[in-house]
Amino acid sequence: MAIIVDIDVVLAKRKMPVGVLAERIGITPANLAVLKNGRAKAVRFTTLEALCEVLECQPGELLRWEPDGTGAGG
């Protein structure tokens, strides 16, 4: 996958547990795990907006593009 999800990096910087983030953005911990592990096929803009609001970050801090074969999950 060419899109790399860096939610774990931002969570670590904020010292926020995954369960707290899931609760604050209104999704299940299981669905958040799918997203943060790069297994999601899509993300709703409302979810991305909620992530950015709770984590006080920009979308580019959560998602980045790398050519195929160079990133995790690829």
Side-chain angles (χ1 to χ4, degrees), residues 35 39-44:
L35 178 58
R39 295 189 316 259
K41 299 291 182 190
V43 60
R44 293 174 188 231

Side-chain angles (χ1 to χ4, degrees), residues 8-59:
D8 282 339
V9 173
V10 179
L11 277 172
K13 288 180 182 176
R14 305 297 190 273
K15 298 180 181 172
M16 182 183 295
V18 174
V20 171
L21 177 60
E23 182 179 325
R24 289 187 184 173
I25 64 172
I27 67 174
T28 66
N31 283 340
L32 182 56
V34 168
L35 178 58
K36 74 182 193 72
N37 293 326
R39 295 189 316 259
K41 299 291 182 190
V43 60
R44 293 174 188 231
F45 279 172
T46 54
T47 301
L48 183 59
E49 181 179 10
L51 284 164
C52 290
E53 183 177 339
V54 170
L55 294 172
E56 298 179 349
C57 67
Q58 294 295 314

